[in-house]
Amino acid sequence: MRILSGIQPTGDIHIGNYLGAIKQWLLLQEKNECVFFIADLHSLTVPFDPKILQKSITEKIISYIAVGLDPEKSIIFVQSQIKEHAELAWILNTLCPVGELERMTQYKEKSKKFKDNINAGLLDYPVLMAADILLYKTDAVPVGKDQTQHVELTRTLAKKFNQKFGKTFVEPKAILPKFGSKIMSLTNPKKKMSKTDNPQSYISLFDTPENIQKKIMASTTDSGKQIKYDLTKKPGVSNLLTIYSLLTDKPIKELEKKFKDKGYADLKKSLAKTVIEFLEPFRKKQKELVTRDVYIKEILSRGKNRAQTIAQTTMQEIKEKVGLV
Ligand code: TYM
């Protein structure tokens, strides 16, 4: 199977990204042909600072390697370095009804959040994402729950293209973790954990132990005292239990038993310790990698070449089918 996924470079990669997406990538790269990239073109659709964009992109590549993506096994690259993403997006645009884009949840949320910057790119975002996926004839896309609507649209566009121009694309499917596909914010457990929110609301994969401790101890919990998984009555505690369970591979039931006669502070203390220990190797590796400039450049250059070979071949086929040659 060919697997593809990506992350936007802006903001810190957090444990939501890890548990929803990256954890799956690490397993999938062992037995599949995997393509992982930094979606920098996507990040231009919301306000950003050109002075720090390049730095954020490099940081994210370092993060990919620090958490265990293996450049020997996976193709790792930066989206904007492969011009075929934008080229295919244009062609797919001509197949995509505007109405489909207007009903996308992410578009609705972001146009509310960035009222003064509802640009055409924000609306078109899912078509570029479809191009990312289809360009590599991807079979499956490991993502968190918030991205499933975009993968659905990708399937629709693949089908349309195939019907109009002849069988070209696989209809890719989204792969979601059974549990943890939507990790919630630490400060508002009714909202998704997001890199563009206040840093108190998420745990970055490279936060210091002190920060992790502070953020978890200050996280919003619920009324009552009992430590119980209940999404309606106890969204805060349920979110902490979810993170705990996913990082330790312990079932929720076992954790409920462990904390049966304990209070929220005990759960938080124990979770903070667990998170700190879990993230320690990532932090170490990241520290080492920031000093290895040449190595990172080599990874990117190799990834770019490998991605380009696939992208150019697909684009040539597409152009012939559409009658553009
Ligand atoms: P991005 O950068 O917002 O998030 C990266 C990945 O993390 C997942 N995720 C979460 N999972 C669980 N809980 C959360 N709170 C949480 N927050 C984020 C996301 O679902 C995603 O898998 N549009 C994409 C980037 C992209 C892409 C693509 C992905 C561009 N082209 C092609 C796959 C295929 C995005 O903004 O992800």
Side-chain angles (χ1 to χ4, degrees), residues 4-10 14-22 25 37 39 42 79 106 110 125 128-130 132-133 141-148 150-151 177 180-185 191-195:
L4 173 139
S5 200
I7 287 187
Q8 293 195 65
T10 32
H14 53 63
I15 48 167
N17 301 129
Y18 180 83
L19 296 171
I22 300 172
W25 304 0
F37 65 99
H42 279 99
Q79 182 189 33
Q106 184 177 294
K110 288 200 176 166
Y125 183 111
L128 179 58
M129 189 162 152
D132 300 336
I133 298 169
V141 189
V143 281
K145 200 170 178 187
D146 61 322
Q147 296 299 319
T148 49
H150 295 161
V151 180
S181 66
K182 190 175 180 187
I183 300 296
M184 308 312 269
S185 152
K191 245 178 77 186
K192 182 185 72 125
M193 184 177 281
S194 161
K195 338 187 190 71

Side-chain angles (χ1 to χ4, degrees), residues 239-251:
N239 191 40
L240 298 184
L241 284 171
T242 301
I243 298 171
Y244 205 132
S245 161
L246 288 167
L247 294 183
T248 55
D249 282 330
K250 287 194 177 127

Side-chain angles (χ1 to χ4, degrees), residues 137 161-162 164-169 315-325:
K137 301 208 172 174
F161 188 99
N162 289 345
K164 199 162 173 183
F165 302 109
K167 175 98 180 101
T168 310
F169 298 123
M315 208 54 222
Q316 185 60 30
E317 182 191 350
I318 292 166
K319 280 180 149 177
E320 277 169 23
K321 289 201 165 140
V322 174
L324 282 174
V325 181

